[in-house]
Amino acid sequence: AQSVTQLGSHVSVSEGALVLLRCNYSSSVPPYLFWYVQYPNQGLQLLLKYTTGATLVKGINGFEAEFKKSETSFHLTKPSAHMSDAAEYFCAVTSGLGGNQFYFGTGTSLTVIP
Amino acid sequence: NAGVTQTPKFQVLKTGQSMTLQCAQDMNHNSMYWYRQDPGMGLRLIYYSASEGTTDKGEVPNGYNVSRLNKREFSLRLESAAPSQTSVYFCASSGTPPGLGTRIGDNEQFFGPGTRLTVL
């Protein structure tokens, strides 16, 4: 069984401040992990993904995430928030098996304060 | 490439009415998915099709049916709409080949723009 927990349904940061969005996963097999971003009234867009290899992965728009197996975490960070980062962020996990089903967290809404 | 397309973008139904949401992808993907998104609940899988000719239930299949018409198209049908089915519906696709017995989870899912459905 697989699941994802995103701590904090709403996060607010000041423009230029560090962004940290938390994601913890549960998986009985080695996971593949993803972060998606959703802008208002749009579909989901891939930010970054971890499959194998380097545990620190870089994505689009300056975001990065680190896979920490010992902590079962895949937190998303960005050193300096921009107004355009305001959106909903979803963490997801899959094993790649069973039709590549994804299991999504409940999402974190990021507000950037000018 | 248009990616994943969905029609309609918006729909209002009365309780008991039926409708079909259409989804098509032009990326030659094998797997397709239907999700619903509700506030505070993230995305929940309704049905998926790992390959052409197969469909399987997801987390919340009750009240829905699906058809994988061909490799490109995957439709979602509400036979008798209920207010609880008011939601935003997303279709997605991914390129995971079926039945290889290998873990190919590095194929992300690509999402359509969504259909906003209101059932009165």
Side-chain angles (χ1 to χ4, degrees):
Chain A
Q2 296 176 297
S3 65
V4 167
T5 301
Q6 290 184 241
L7 293 175
S9 57
H10 297 276
V11 171
S12 294
V13 300
S14 297
E15 191 174 16
L18 171 72
V19 176
L20 170 61
L21 304 183
R22 299 179 186 275
C23 172
N24 288 87
Y25 70 90
S26 172
S27 180
S28 56
V29 296
Y32 296 104
L33 294 157
F34 303 79
W35 276 100
Y36 282 84
V37 61
Q38 183 182 33
Y39 298 104
N41 299 314
Q42 294 187 26
L44 278 70
Q45 176 184 354
L46 182 70
L47 265 183
L48 50 78
K49 62 184 179 183
Y50 167 77
T51 55
T52 59
T55 56
L56 180 64
V57 292
K58 296 185 185 298
I60 62 173
N61 302 337
F63 284 93
E64 61 182 37
E66 187 170 11
F67 170 58
K68 292 188 176 180
K69 184 178 179 181
S70 61
E71 299 177 8
T72 60
S73 69
F74 190 57
H75 302 328
L76 182 70
T77 61
K78 181 174 180 178
S80 177
H82 191 272
M83 296 298 294
S84 61
D85 295 327
E88 188 94 15
Y89 292 81
F90 291 94
C91 183
V93 64
T94 184
S95 66
L97 301 171
N100 197 32
Q101 288 187 66
F102 276 40
Y103 298 88
F104 285 87
T106 53
T108 297
S109 178
L110 177 66
T111 300
V112 182
I113 303 166
Chain B
N1 283 353
V4 180
T5 57
Q6 293 183 236
T7 55
K9 286 190 169 59
F10 302 93
Q11 184 71 49
V12 179
L13 294 177
K14 294 181 180 179
T15 296
Q17 287 184 316
S18 63
M19 78 161 297
T20 299
L21 281 66
Q22 306 287 353
C23 174
Q25 52 90 10
D26 61 1
M27 295 174 282
N28 200 35
H29 284 167
N30 286 300
S31 302
M32 298 185 73
Y33 313 83
W34 276 106
Y35 294 90
R36 60 177 290 172
Q37 183 180 27
D38 302 291
M41 303 191 76
L43 278 81
R44 293 182 293 169
L45 184 65
I46 305 171
Y47 270 93
Y48 69 99
S49 171
S51 63
E52 187 179 354
T54 69
T55 60
D56 285 285
K57 295 179 180 179
E59 181 185 355
V60 289
N62 291 345
Y64 305 95
N65 285 300
V66 290
S67 295
R68 183 74 183 266
L69 304 170
N70 48 54
K71 192 171 185 179
R72 290 187 65 249
E73 298 171 290
F74 188 40
S75 63
L76 178 71
R77 183 160 178 83
L78 287 69
E79 290 290 352
S80 178
S84 60
Q85 294 178 303
T86 293
S87 187
V88 181
Y89 291 85
F90 288 101
C91 178
S93 70
S94 74
T96 306
L100 292 183
T102 58
R103 300 180 61 242
I104 309 180
D106 62 348
N107 288 323
E108 66 265 28
Q109 292 189 3
F110 294 81
F111 285 80
T115 295
R116 191 173 297 272
L117 175 67
T118 301
V119 182
L120 302 175

